[in-house]
Amino acid sequence: MQSELNGSKAHDEMLFIIIHQAYELWFKQILVEIDSVCEIFTGDYVQENQIATAVQRIHRVNRIFELLIQQFTILETMTSLDFMDFRDFLHPASGFQSSQFRVLETRLGLQNSQRVNPTFIKNLDSKDAEKLQRAIDAPSLFTLVEKWLEKMPFQETENWAFWKEYQNVLHVTFEKDRQDLKNNPHIPVEELELSLSRINMMEQGFDSLFDKSKYDQLTDRRLSHRATLAAIFISLYRDYPLLQLPFRLLDAIIEMDENFTLWRYRHSIMTSRMIGARIGTGGSSGSDYLAKTSMQQRIFADIKNIAGMLIPRRTIPNLPTEISEKLKFAFELR
Ligand code: HEM
């Protein structure tokens, strides 16, 4: 313990060390799972039963994340005054030295350009920096899942395209919203205009979904046009047996993104409880920096945002038999 080496043994430093090591062990397990999921999606063809394995492993990662979020409560049995008994002896060590955390973010698909402060990742020794570089050079889970989505068939036949049908439903939905507003005598004129312009804006936003060149110009989207359309298709037709597993995979990924974000935010809240508004030992603005990472560094935000592009079940266009037959199990019990 650093406090002991400095001749002033602080009781709580052991808890601090044990907690950090426990986190690092679990980070290691999460990395093992994520690496294996990436491997499943690396080949040209991903087998159906392999998707089930991937889903099961991401579920495991999610349970681990829940434990890691919970684990902060044990650390919080140490008060901020207890922490001050040894905090000064830790300089210049900091969470920035966790190479496993940096590798994990990267394996999942966090891009440097997305970071609140990209220079902070340089806080690693040369061996760890090499490990991180290897992770940066390898395809991330985000990229692999995106490629897999891009290959998703079933969305069109010679005479039918899901996107045209979906576009029609959206148009009718927006039109109905407009009519409902106009028919409501209790809405003040200014409010009505505001709401109508909001609907128009939303409709224009959706337009990019049907025009790849428009979509490609959007600066706030990372998931490719084709992958986004496939994710919408899977989410809408999830009740077909063949799309169940792909849907569960996307759902598990969204949950993982949510859990990672919760971890980041929980860590930031714990930090503000421990050190208030002080700066971190690694030189960041402290809990403020950490809170920003939870908002800005979401990796699978585009998959999560598919939720805002769905339409009510009763309005989902029927699939032509040619496609719906392919999406069923080969043998049905009657
Ligand atoms: C008293 C407890 C803790 C405090 C006050 C604290 C505070 C901080 C602060 C202020 C930072 C920003 C970097 C800096 O300027 O130092 C940070 C980063 C970090 N901490 Fe903690 N931390 C604590 C416990 C933990 C624990 C138990 C873990 C578990 C592994 C952890 C993992 C990390 C990681 C991975 C980062 C980098 C986050 C990023 O850049 O996105 N911290 N911590």
Side-chain angles (χ1 to χ4, degrees):
M1 295 195 291
Q2 292 301 309
S3 59
E4 205 168 15
L5 293 176
N6 281 276
S8 171
K9 186 174 166 185
H11 176 83
D12 282 8
E13 191 178 350
M14 185 55 82
L15 174 77
F16 185 82
I17 294 169
I18 298 280
I19 290 269
H20 274 85
Q21 293 192 0
Y23 270 108
E24 288 294 339
L25 269 179
W26 283 120
F27 286 163
K28 183 163 189 163
Q29 186 62 37
I30 293 178
L31 274 170
V32 167
E33 304 299 351
I34 296 301
D35 279 347
S36 77
V37 174
C38 285
E39 209 179 307
I40 288 173
F41 284 90
T42 296
D44 278 343
Y45 175 68
V46 186
Q47 281 186 342
E48 193 75 6
N49 61 348
Q50 291 287 78
I51 299 178
T53 306
V55 171
Q56 186 234 348
R57 291 186 183 159
I58 297 176
H59 277 315
R60 178 176 294 158
V61 168
N62 282 328
R63 299 297 76 76
I64 298 173
F65 262 125
E66 282 169 6
L67 182 79
L68 297 188
I69 293 162
Q70 240 268 310
Q71 197 164 268
F72 282 119
T73 59
I74 305 176
L75 189 56
E76 282 172 334
T77 59
M78 171 178 84
T79 68
S80 51
L81 203 63
D82 299 331
F83 185 37
M84 286 178 97
D85 286 343
F86 61 91
R87 184 177 187 238
D88 281 351
F89 303 134
L90 303 178
H91 275 280
S94 89
F96 283 161
Q97 289 167 304
S98 174
S99 61
Q100 292 200 113
F101 189 78
R102 292 287 175 245
V103 171
L104 175 61
E105 294 174 319
T106 311
R107 290 298 278 139
L108 289 177
L110 184 69
Q111 292 174 311
N112 250 356
S113 55
Q114 208 186 331
R115 291 186 185 277
V116 172
N117 189 335
T119 57
F120 287 156
I121 64 161
K122 302 209 167 107
N123 232 311
L124 297 173
D125 67 31
S126 58
K127 227 170 144 192
D128 285 343
E130 264 172 44
K131 270 192 229 157
L132 179 59
Q133 192 56 49
R134 276 200 295 277
I136 292 171
D137 294 340
S140 68
L141 183 63
F142 180 95
T143 310
L144 293 166
V145 168
E146 181 182 48
K147 284 221 172 81
W148 169 75
L149 281 170
E150 284 169 354
K151 284 188 244 163
M152 173 70 53
F154 312 125
Q155 295 159 45
E156 53 217 345
T157 65
E158 223 176 291
N159 331 306
W160 184 89
F162 166 68
W163 309 112
K164 286 196 187 127
E165 306 276 330
Y166 172 69
Q167 194 174 15
N168 288 343
V169 175
L170 279 178
H171 181 68
V172 172
T173 313
F174 284 124
E175 200 43 47
K176 182 173 181 316
D177 287 351
R178 268 192 284 263
Q179 283 312 320
D180 286 350
L181 278 172
K182 286 181 192 162
N183 293 340
N184 187 338
H186 305 295
I187 304 178
V189 182
E190 316 84 68
E191 197 63 33
L192 177 71
E193 276 171 13
L194 204 71
S195 300
L196 285 174
S197 73
R198 219 169 260 157
I199 293 177
N200 291 345
M201 263 172 60
M202 275 183 71
E203 201 170 13
Q204 278 165 22
F206 272 104
D207 276 354
S208 64
L209 272 179
F210 309 105
D211 183 339
K212 187 174 177 311
S213 58
K214 268 193 197 165
Y215 184 93
D216 290 344
Q217 279 168 21
L218 299 175
T219 50
D220 61 343
R221 303 287 160 89
R222 179 174 171 201
L223 195 66
S224 74
H225 181 244
R226 192 157 171 82
T228 304
L229 294 182
I232 296 174
F233 185 82
I234 291 169
S235 303
L236 289 177
Y237 295 99
R238 67 181 79 173
D239 294 337
Y240 280 96
L242 220 70
L243 295 181
Q244 257 298 305
L245 271 176
F247 168 70
R248 289 193 183 282
L249 177 79
L250 296 184
D251 202 45
I253 288 176
I254 292 170
E255 191 182 358
M256 182 168 63
D257 199 52
E258 204 173 280
N259 277 330
F260 201 175
T261 306
L262 284 172
W263 188 91
R264 286 188 191 280
Y265 195 64
R266 185 68 184 83
H267 175 238
S268 143
I269 296 283
M270 180 275 300
T271 299
S272 72
R273 181 171 175 174
M274 290 294 167
I275 61 170
R278 285 189 183 189
I279 59 160
T281 45
S284 78
S285 61
S287 72
D288 183 45
Y289 156 76
L290 296 169
K292 277 191 194 137
T293 64
S294 68
M295 297 300 292
Q296 194 176 310
Q297 297 188 180
R298 289 195 75 158
I299 300 164
F300 296 96
D302 286 351
I303 294 186
K304 164 193 66 93
N305 288 338
I306 296 296
M309 301 171 190
L310 302 186
I311 49 179
R313 261 202 177 90
R314 62 183 178 284
T315 63
I316 299 177
N318 287 330
L319 296 176
T321 325
E322 189 184 340
I323 292 183
S324 64
E325 283 303 313
K326 283 186 193 147
L327 294 176
K328 288 181 185 165
F329 284 126
F331 300 102
E332 274 187 52
L333 292 176
R334 290 179 198 274

